[in-house]
Amino acid sequence: VASKSSEETPRLRGILERAAKLICANGYEATSMQQIADACGLTKAGLYHHITTKESLLMAIMTYGMDLFEERVLTPANAVADPMERLKVTMARNLDLVTDETSKSVTIILHEDHSLTGDAQREINARKKKYVRFLEDAFKAAIERGQVREVDPTLAAFSMLGTMLWTYKWYRPGGAMNPEKLSAGMIDMFFRGVLPS
Amino acid sequence: VASKSSEETPRLRGILERAAKLICANGYEATSMQQIADACGLTKAGLYHHITTKESLLMAIMTYGMDLFEERVLTPANAVADPMERLKVTMARNLDLVTDETSKSVTIILHEDHSLTGDAQREINARKKKYVRFLEDAFKAAIERGQVREVDPTLAAFSMLGTMLWTYKWYRPGGAMNPEKLSAGMIDMFFRGVLPS
């Protein structure tokens, strides 16, 4: 079973990334351990050396995705003292992650309602909730300082999350929309709205 | 096989709603025709009288979800002449649908990347794209009239879609957030932004 912190080895990371791609394309249930082994150039026995069950594989992918997200978004954003600046850094960094082809599959899987159960599900949900609380707290602090008007912090957090994470559903790298334009445009629209000033 | 227009009979609608609930809870692959038959109080032979294959069932659910969406959102919004008013009516009606417990499962399935293939997939995708075009056109018209500032209409369309449709992921009926407050707050934030005026 993969570790619960960011200690994945490069070999294991490669397996998780390939497995995530297959699961994104074909669904979790429809993807067999044999197909994953084939995609990794491993025998099934070789794959089971790294991963003991299909559910532990899914948990390892989600843990890896969460680690990546925290390393690239939550930790650096948390270090920004000014709440308004913190919200903008969060949005820019999360959009960077969403439009990054390499990390795409492992992070997409976090937002699909896959078949984790019991403790594994609770652990991933707790890490997702931490992000929602982080956003709510940043909005509350920004409202207190008069940087944001009196909106509902929970609704603001979920509006921001929806705007950013829906991008997984439609954005294709190399398409008509370039990632810098997407990020700048979404951040501007989220904060300023769409009405003429 | 179910019809492709809104001609579902009440009996078939009941089957589709129950099947959608099971699929939302357990995933498409993990849900068997036997479980669906059980949930409908039918024998498997009785279920196959209404639905010939599992994929045709999924297509019938998506068609039903699209019919509901067009009837409750797209058609009434299309009838509104003023582009700004049209955008607001669209958002209010789509959020109504999202927070409505009865239609929840059949409409959620539209936004999950399920296993439709070939013509069925193309048909559902074409109906989804029609909605994106409708929003883009409304933004373009609102920009032309000076009701909306010079934003990218595609980005505005997907920001609005993300804000609304992400609600499926977190909103629970009977929870702390009531649907009227949610709808009013999201519409206000989307158009006016969150900065102090």
Side-chain angles (χ1 to χ4, degrees), chain A residues 36-92:
Chain A
I36 293 165
D38 291 347
C40 299
L42 289 170
T43 61
K44 227 168 136 180
L47 177 61
Y48 279 108
H49 173 75
H50 295 278
I51 297 285
T52 51
T53 65
K54 200 173 156 192
E55 182 161 358
S56 76
L57 170 77
L58 185 59
M59 181 59 182
I61 295 171
M62 290 203 177
T63 300
Y64 178 27
M66 270 292 171
D67 290 348
L68 255 182
F69 159 73
E70 289 175 2
E71 181 190 315
R72 292 184 49 185
V73 183
L74 198 54
T75 306
N78 235 328
V80 179
D82 181 75
M84 182 52 136
E85 216 32 59
R86 186 154 73 242
L87 285 167
K88 287 188 174 166
V89 167
T90 305
M91 211 170 163

Side-chain angles (χ1 to χ4, degrees), chain A residues 24 26-30 84 88 111-113 115 139 146-152 154-156 158-159 161-163 165-166 169-170 177 181-186 188-197, chain B residues 24 26-30 84 88 111-113 115 139 146-152 154-156 158-159 161-163 165-166 169-170 177 181-186 188-197:
Chain A
C24 280
N26 308 319
Y28 173 68
E29 294 289 339
M84 182 52 136
K88 287 188 174 166
H111 308 294
E112 310 233 336
D113 298 318
S115 330
F139 277 109
Q147 296 173 319
V148 160
R149 63 190 174 92
E150 297 269 344
V151 295
D152 181 304
T154 304
L155 218 44
F158 282 119
S159 285
L161 279 171
T163 307
L165 300 178
W166 197 255
K169 298 268 185 193
W170 62 270
M177 180 75 67
K181 201 183 146 201
L182 182 156
S183 178
M186 271 196 179
D188 172 61
M189 255 189 279
F190 181 80
F191 287 98
R192 289 179 54 207
V194 298
L195 299 183
S197 39
Chain B
C24 280
N26 308 318
Y28 173 68
E29 294 289 339
M84 182 52 135
K88 287 188 174 168
H111 308 294
E112 310 234 338
D113 298 317
S115 329
F139 277 109
Q147 297 173 316
V148 160
R149 63 190 176 90
E150 295 271 344
V151 295
D152 182 304
T154 304
L155 219 42
F158 282 118
S159 284
L161 280 171
T163 306
L165 300 178
W166 197 255
K169 297 268 185 193
W170 61 271
M177 181 74 68
K181 202 184 144 200
L182 182 155
S183 178
M186 271 196 178
D188 171 61
M189 258 189 280
F190 181 81
F191 285 98
R192 290 178 53 206
V194 298
L195 298 184
S197 40

Side-chain angles (χ1 to χ4, degrees), chain A residues 164-176:
Chain A
M164 297 187 302
L165 300 178
W166 197 255
T167 307
Y168 281 122
K169 298 268 185 193
W170 62 270
Y171 174 76
R172 295 293 165 266

Side-chain angles (χ1 to χ4, degrees), chain B residues 35-183:
Chain B
Q35 289 169 314
I36 293 165
D38 291 346
C40 300
L42 289 169
T43 61
K44 227 168 134 178
L47 177 62
Y48 278 109
H49 173 76
H50 295 277
I51 298 287
T52 51
T53 65
K54 200 173 155 194
E55 182 161 358
S56 78
L57 170 76
L58 185 59
M59 181 59 182
I61 295 172
M62 290 202 176
T63 300
Y64 178 27
M66 270 292 172
D67 290 348
L68 254 182
F69 159 74
E70 289 176 1
E71 182 190 313
R72 292 186 45 186
V73 183
L74 198 55
T75 306
N78 236 328
V80 178
D82 181 74
M84 182 52 135
E85 215 34 57
R86 186 153 74 241
L87 286 167
K88 287 188 174 168
V89 167
T90 306
M91 212 171 163
R93 285 189 163 262
N94 203 339
L95 283 170
D96 267 2
L97 190 65
V98 167
T99 54
D100 176 2
E101 188 57 4
T102 357
S103 54
K104 204 178 156 191
S105 304
V106 280
T107 42
I108 280 183
I109 284 182
L110 285 172
H111 308 294
E112 310 234 338
D113 298 317
H114 281 295
S115 329
L116 280 185
T117 55
D119 285 349
Q121 190 177 52
R122 270 188 291 278
E123 188 186 319
I124 294 297
N125 282 345
R127 291 176 79 176
K128 286 187 189 175
K129 271 192 190 139
K130 211 173 96 183
Y131 190 34
V132 178
R133 296 286 161 276
F134 164 84
L135 291 174
E136 287 175 328
D137 289 345
F139 277 109
K140 280 179 202 159
I143 292 166
E144 252 169 51
R145 294 203 188 184
Q147 297 173 316
V148 160
R149 63 190 176 90
E150 295 271 344
V151 295
D152 182 304
T154 304
L155 219 42
F158 282 118
S159 284
M160 185 191 266
L161 280 171
T163 306
M164 297 187 302
L165 300 178
W166 197 255
T167 307
Y168 281 122
K169 297 268 185 193
W170 61 271
Y171 174 76
R172 295 292 165 266
M177 181 74 68
N178 86 58
E180 290 76 24
K181 202 184 144 200
L182 182 155
S183 178

